[in-house]
Amino acid sequence: MNLLRKLWNNLHLFMALPAILLFGLFFIYPLAQGIGISLTDSNGMAPPRFIGLQNFVDFFHDARAKKDVYNTVFFAIGSAPLLNVFGFLYALILDRPFKGKGFVRAVVYLPAVISPLIMGYVWYFILQPDRGFLYHLLASLHLGTGGSDWLGNANSALIVLVFINVWQFVGMTMIIYLAGLQSIPKELYEAGEIDGAGYLKSLWYITIPMVVQSIKINVVTNIIGSLSVFEVIVALTDGGPGYSTESLSIYILRMLYGSFTGYSTAVAMILFVMIIIPVFLFMRYINKKEFEM
Amino acid sequence: MRKKKLGLLLTGVMMVGLLAGCGGKSEDSPSPSGNAAGTAQETAPKETVKLKFFTGKVETVDLMNTLIQKFNSENPGIEVEQEYQKDASNVIKVKFASGDIPDITTVVEQDYIDQGKYLDLSNEPFWPRVLPAVKELSTDVKSGKQYQVATNVTMAGIFYNKKIFQELGLKEALTWDEFKANLQAIKDKKPDVTPLFIAGRESWTLGHLIEFLAHGIIKQDLGVKSSREAFINNESDKLKFDQENGPIDTFAKRLLELQAAGLINKDALTATYDNQKEAFATGKAAMISQGMWVVADLLKISPDFQSDLGFSPYPSIQDGTKPVVLSADDSRYAITAESKHPEEAKKFLEFLLQPENLKTYSEFLKSPPAFTDVTADWGPLKEQANQALSSGVNIAFTDSPSGFSGDDAGRMVQELLAGQYANSLDFAKAYKDAWDKAWKATHR
């Protein structure tokens, strides 16, 4: 009897067990193994040899890796803030009552449902010079710019990639903000109105603090998503021309495919840290902020 | 009120359904399971062996599916499954590493041969039927054994539009100057036609340019056997990758020349293989660099194109060298050493090598069979191919390190065309670095 009660009182511990097991099996174990492999010169076939931090040292002398870090960070700095700003604006606008609200929301959200790979290929055919839809459209409007090879030029290709990513996932961000907006009790706004707060003031002092949970989710997922960008690049430029739009996650895969398993794992570790740091800093900042509010 | 009634009705229907489901189960289930157990004990069931066929050859996916279907129906108990991957020579590496090993594959790389990844096929009965030259190319230079067999001979060179050539009075080019003059003439007189169409989004087609044009110089200088050895053992004094006016430097210069003169398509970096075939078969491009594998698709796009299809060797890109034409073993098969069903895999290979199936394959691919006992009507290029073989030096595919595939080389050519190298020599040096790095990763 006593034992049963003890069990009952500690049930929460056992309830967490499956989660802990899964976390260990699919996160901690691979991570530990990854750290192990990243310290070797494994080529995936011959037995690996321990080489210490050599892979990490190599990374900092690897011109292609540097370029990929630049591309990845460029993509993330382009995408994450735009996604959040536009997602929030869309949510604010589409939260108001108007006819056909559901339809408009669905249209904004729709691209997020389609696989980024397919989306990328569709855009690829739109953007092709001389053949693409955009070229024909601009030509019929007597605008000549459709002939330029947007994806063949390294600088414009990156910008196009950011644009498509934002366009595709703005709906996802919007939905999360919408959920946050709808959980704000109307009384708060009424009280604000009585106190004489205008739209901007109530936006700043009521809306934003109240959707802080949505901000957290969106910022974190957007940082993670854009720093590990993969599909849209594969579909649209395949990292090209050359390596000029290659992201770190594509590099990791290609190194793994080649004979650089150890090095590839080391780069994966570096990307892991690159993602963890901004997420950690942001969470710390926002939690502190939240406490103040 | 009405809604409530409807709800009740629905609930009732569902309940009945549930009960019926239960009843049915309890009555019927014992007998079939009993039967199954009975037969299992009597005839010790033969489990179906699943064979995995792993390929990187996009042009044969449909054909292989029909051949596989035929094999599966003729061989109960064996079931072959095809898996195609775009970047197959790289993907197979992950498969080897993760233990998801295909039984039979078209991907054969020297590194994997060195690692003992393939089954020795030297003692198989089909070898006397194979063309001696193909057998030589199928032989591993290091061990002298055969780990692979090829079904066909393929060729690659310049495909050109005969009609345009006749109209402008052009002749097949053997030197670089002639080649450029041809392209220039097309540009001047037919401004709507792309002189040379490059499909640069597909990095493999660019990789091929290096393999045939740049490596072509090395291959003709050293000859088949010793050039293979030089590539496999990375003998840098023979390869001279980073030498000024060496093979890679010259190649890069030539390509940039064409780009600067506007003799290639403006979207050379983003045009796909499909775009290339389309443009060529519809007369919007006058020349392309491809292999025999392209012919079937060209004729699919425009069946009348057959009479306009011309084929010539690659012009010599360096003074003092000769034009080259790729003439090599194609459609190679290897059985993996770790295959759990080597016997069945061999059976499937035997099936593919039956004269009748080789004929189908060869006629589909429009390329000559590598087996002496197969007579196939393989297509419109028969005569021109023979002529090309006699006017150009015959070269084979390159054995590159597995970490530096044709795709990787092609991406470097993309960089070159995108203007990311200060000059051609920088490109040559970077090429050598990438090659050496990949070679060292598997030779230590």
Side-chain angles (χ1 to χ4, degrees):
Chain A
M1 205 62 213
N2 207 7
L3 187 74
L4 258 177
R5 174 163 299 157
K6 218 173 183 177
L7 253 170
W8 175 251
N9 286 342
N10 290 309
L11 195 61
H12 56 282
L13 292 180
F14 295 98
M15 296 289 275
L17 206 64
I20 294 170
L21 267 176
L22 288 177
F23 185 72
L25 195 63
F26 292 109
F27 187 77
I28 302 292
Y29 172 69
L31 185 69
Q33 208 177 27
I35 293 174
I37 295 172
S38 73
L39 301 176
T40 69
D41 67 348
S42 166
N43 62 19
M45 292 187 290
R49 290 179 311 199
F50 180 79
I51 53 165
L53 293 174
Q54 190 58 44
N55 284 327
F56 295 90
V57 175
D58 287 349
F59 181 83
F60 290 95
H61 298 283
D62 182 349
R64 183 171 157 194
K66 273 179 201 158
K67 178 86 191 136
D68 293 343
V69 170
Y70 170 82
N71 293 338
T72 309
V73 171
F74 182 99
F75 184 86
I77 289 182
S79 299
L82 285 181
L83 271 170
N84 273 287
V85 169
F86 281 107
F88 188 58
L89 287 179
Y90 266 114
L92 279 181
I93 294 165
L94 296 186
D95 192 35
R96 293 192 251 180
F98 66 94
K99 233 182 169 180
K101 192 161 75 171
F103 176 73
V104 177
R105 280 183 188 173
V107 167
V108 175
Y109 184 69
L110 207 60
V113 181
I114 302 166
S115 143
L117 266 181
I118 295 171
M119 218 65 251
Y121 284 117
V122 170
W123 273 98
Y124 176 73
F125 291 115
I126 293 175
L127 292 170
Q128 267 202 311
D130 294 341
R131 287 178 216 90
F133 171 75
L134 190 68
Y135 172 74
H136 290 295
L137 186 78
L138 291 177
S140 69
L141 297 170
H142 302 286
L143 296 165
T145 45
S148 47
D149 199 350
W150 301 98
L151 301 174
N153 179 309
N155 299 321
S156 59
L158 263 177
I159 293 168
V160 170
L161 283 168
V162 169
F163 165 76
I164 289 171
N165 187 53
V166 170
W167 168 78
Q168 182 171 16
F169 290 111
V170 77
M172 194 91 98
T173 318
M174 174 193 76
I175 291 286
I176 294 168
Y177 278 127
L178 266 178
L181 286 178
Q182 280 164 5
S183 69
I184 304 176
K186 293 281 167 287
E187 293 79 25
L188 282 178
Y189 289 105
E190 283 161 16
E193 222 168 290
I194 291 165
D195 287 345
Y199 181 73
L200 283 180
K201 271 209 162 146
S202 58
L203 183 71
W204 186 251
Y205 289 108
I206 300 171
T207 313
I208 292 181
M210 288 304 284
V211 295
V212 75
Q213 291 304 329
S214 304
I215 296 178
K216 260 196 223 170
I217 297 172
N218 273 330
V219 171
V220 169
T221 50
N222 286 334
I223 290 176
I224 295 174
S226 51
L227 279 175
S228 53
V229 56
F230 184 83
E231 294 109 312
V232 67
I233 298 185
V234 167
L236 216 59
T237 63
D238 202 17
Y243 303 109
S244 55
T245 55
E246 191 176 68
S247 72
L248 270 180
S249 43
I250 296 178
Y251 187 49
I252 290 166
L253 187 75
R254 284 182 175 160
M255 287 289 107
L256 187 72
Y257 273 1
S259 301
F260 306 97
T261 315
Y263 185 63
S264 161
T265 320
V267 180
M269 291 299 143
I270 289 168
L271 180 60
F272 177 69
V273 173
M274 268 176 66
I275 292 174
I276 284 291
I277 287 175
V279 168
F280 175 76
L281 289 178
F282 170 76
M283 289 305 278
R284 225 175 67 161
Y285 170 78
I286 199 101
N287 284 339
K288 225 168 152 189
K289 262 276 192 234
E290 207 179 354
F291 192 71
E292 282 168 16
M293 288 189 297
Chain B
M1 195 59 204
R2 252 191 112 163
K3 262 190 185 162
K4 222 176 199 174
K5 256 188 188 162
L6 191 71
L8 268 172
L9 193 73
L10 278 174
T11 324
V13 169
M14 274 164 75
M15 293 281 278
V16 171
L18 272 174
L19 286 172
C22 291
K25 211 177 176 184
S26 57
E27 268 170 39
D28 296 345
S29 57
S31 47
S33 68
N35 263 351
T39 44
Q41 275 172 351
E42 280 159 31
T43 55
K46 236 174 102 185
E47 219 175 290
T48 339
V49 171
K50 281 206 170 155
L51 283 186
K52 278 195 191 147
F53 170 65
F54 181 75
T55 177
K57 288 175 77 73
V58 61
E59 67 276 12
T60 62
V61 170
D62 291 340
L63 173 70
M64 285 312 290
N65 272 334
T66 47
L67 284 174
I68 285 170
Q69 226 166 32
K70 193 174 154 200
F71 177 81
N72 286 348
S73 63
E74 281 175 14
N75 295 276
I78 308 180
E79 200 185 314
V80 183
E81 251 173 37
Q82 173 167 233
E83 180 183 348
Y84 163 73
Q85 287 284 352
K86 192 177 136 226
D87 205 358
S89 55
N90 281 332
V91 174
I92 200 168
K93 165 130 214 158
V94 177
K95 291 192 168 278
F96 280 142
S98 64
D100 173 27
I101 295 160
D103 301 282
I104 179 163
T105 177
T106 62
V107 182
V108 188
E109 302 276 346
Q110 185 64 39
D111 284 350
Y112 305 145
I113 294 178
D114 293 348
Q115 300 279 349
K117 293 287 177 194
Y118 302 118
L119 206 64
D120 181 7
L121 299 175
S122 309
N123 298 320
E124 293 303 302
F126 50 73
W127 286 109
R129 296 163 53 209
V130 181
L131 290 174
V134 172
K135 191 179 175 189
E136 196 193 329
L137 287 173
S138 304
T139 305
D140 176 29
V141 249
K142 290 185 182 166
S143 65
K145 286 179 181 168
Q146 288 93 20
Y147 296 98
Q148 53 174 315
V149 57
T151 62
N152 287 75
V153 176
T154 195
M155 282 181 235
I158 298 287
F159 286 80
Y160 63 92
N161 186 321
K162 272 189 194 164
K163 208 156 75 187
I164 296 177
F165 266 52
Q166 266 161 18
E167 239 175 89
L168 304 179
L170 304 177
K171 271 194 282 178
E172 289 182 5
L174 295 179
T175 67
W176 184 253
D177 289 337
E178 287 169 19
F179 186 67
K180 244 181 102 178
N182 279 351
L183 294 173
Q184 191 64 47
I186 295 161
K187 193 192 174 192
D188 293 345
K189 291 176 194 149
K190 287 198 164 276
D192 294 342
V193 173
T194 305
L196 177 70
F197 195 103
I198 289 181
R201 182 189 153 92
E202 245 87 7
S203 29
W204 63 267
T205 64
L206 295 175
H208 273 171
L209 288 181
I210 287 215
E211 203 165 344
F212 305 152
L213 288 167
H215 293 178
I217 298 175
I218 301 164
K219 288 169 190 168
Q220 64 172 293
D221 277 355
L222 301 176
V224 176
K225 189 157 187 284
S226 81
S227 68
R228 281 188 73 199
E229 281 165 354
F231 285 119
I232 288 168
N233 301 323
N234 196 16
E235 297 162 15
S236 52
D237 53 322
K238 286 186 182 161
L239 298 175
K240 299 175 186 159
F241 282 153
D242 59 345
Q243 201 181 68
E244 198 170 354
N245 295 319
I248 306 288
D249 183 31
T250 307
F251 163 79
K253 263 187 219 153
R254 297 306 192 203
L255 197 60
L256 292 176
E257 261 175 54
L258 295 184
Q259 192 187 32
L263 299 174
I264 57 175
N265 45 322
K266 175 168 70 173
D267 59 345
L269 279 172
T270 45
T272 61
Y273 179 45
D274 284 336
N275 295 149
Q276 186 187 41
K277 289 185 288 194
E278 182 83 31
F280 185 56
T282 54
K284 286 181 194 134
M287 289 187 229
I288 59 171
S289 155
Q290 272 303 346
M292 291 286 180
W293 52 83
V294 77
V295 176
D297 279 356
L298 291 177
L299 298 182
K300 226 181 270 166
I301 295 169
S302 124
D304 302 334
F305 193 57
Q306 184 158 336
S307 51
D308 297 337
L309 192 58
F311 178 73
S312 70
Y314 290 103
S316 69
I317 60 167
Q318 195 172 46
D319 290 340
T321 61
K322 295 197 184 90
V324 292
V325 57
L326 174 91
S327 139
D329 49 329
D330 186 34
S331 294
R332 300 187 262 185
Y333 297 110
I335 295 173
T336 51
E338 285 172 69
S339 163
K340 288 194 185 77
H341 311 288
E343 287 315 309
E344 285 83 357
K346 275 183 188 169
K347 211 168 168 187
F348 180 59
L349 185 61
E350 285 292 340
F351 168 84
L352 293 174
L353 301 182
Q354 280 167 17
E356 175 199 346
N357 295 327
L358 283 174
K359 183 172 163 10
T360 315
Y361 195 90
S362 163
E363 286 174 358
F364 175 89
L365 220 60
K366 310 263 182 264
S367 70
F371 280 67
T372 48
D373 55 352
V374 180
T375 35
D377 182 19
W378 56 268
L381 286 178
K382 229 169 173 170
E383 235 164 76
Q384 297 191 52
N386 282 333
Q387 206 184 335
L389 287 178
S390 58
S391 60
V393 178
N394 301 353
I395 57 166
F397 283 112
T398 308
D399 300 286
S400 25
S402 63
F404 190 62
S405 67
D407 279 19
D408 295 319
R411 279 184 207 112
M412 294 191 69
V413 181
Q414 285 181 349
E415 285 188 306
L416 177 74
L417 286 171
Q420 286 168 6
Y421 291 99
N423 54 53
S424 54
L425 194 61
D426 272 8
F427 173 76
K429 283 179 182 151
Y431 186 85
K432 182 181 160 52
D433 284 347
W435 177 288
D436 284 351
K437 214 174 135 192
W439 192 84
K440 273 185 204 129
T442 45
H443 297 77
R444 52 179 205 212

